[in-house]
Amino acid sequence: MGNKNLLILGIISVGIAIITTTVSLVIYHNSGDIYLDRSRPGYLPDESEAQPKIESNYSFGTSGQINLEVLDEYIKYYEENVDMIDDLEAPFSNTPLSDEALGIPSGE
């Protein structure tokens, strides 16, 4: 009798797992979240969606004297970067967090 109860419990637990997995996948698909999954190769952004990466040739020295000339140079490059940020059309959109903006290769 114990083996029969164990078999029934196993079948019921597998059935519950299949049902909950099916329900969660249906919700995932119907909510549209499946299209936001950029890790899947078919859902990577098109080249038209990609924006050019902002590159800077400036590097602030890690050693050396700090004087007015060095600070002025740093402030100049700092203000240029602030101006680029201010020029963004929609600073709170997903664009600044896109793979291209973050320098993440697309894997192609």
Side-chain angles (χ1 to χ4, degrees):
M1 189 73 162
N3 290 338
K4 184 177 177 183
N5 289 339
L6 188 59
L7 181 63
I8 291 172
L9 179 64
I11 291 172
I12 290 173
S13 62
V14 169
I16 290 172
I18 290 172
I19 290 170
T20 56
T21 302
T22 303
V23 168
S24 66
L25 286 174
V26 167
I27 292 171
Y28 179 62
H29 183 270
N30 291 343
S31 68
D33 289 342
I34 191 170
Y35 301 110
L36 297 175
D37 190 358
R38 302 280 178 151
S39 64
R40 296 178 63 189
Y43 296 109
L44 290 174
D46 295 334
E47 289 183 16
S48 61
E49 293 177 8
Q51 291 189 353
K53 182 180 175 185
I54 299 172
E55 294 184 17
S56 175
N57 295 329
Y58 178 73
S59 64
F60 191 70
T62 57
S63 63
Q65 294 181 353
I66 298 177
N67 53 29
L68 288 177
E69 181 181 325
V70 172
L71 289 175
D72 287 340
E73 181 183 0
Y74 174 78
I75 290 173
K76 175 184 143 196
Y77 285 103
Y78 177 78
E79 288 175 351
E80 286 178 7
N81 287 322
V82 169
D83 290 341
M84 284 191 298
I85 293 170
D86 289 339
D87 290 341
L88 289 174
E89 293 177 15
F92 295 105
S93 70
N94 291 335
T95 305
L97 296 176
S98 68
D99 291 344
E100 289 77 21
L102 295 175
I104 299 172
S106 63
E108 292 179 11

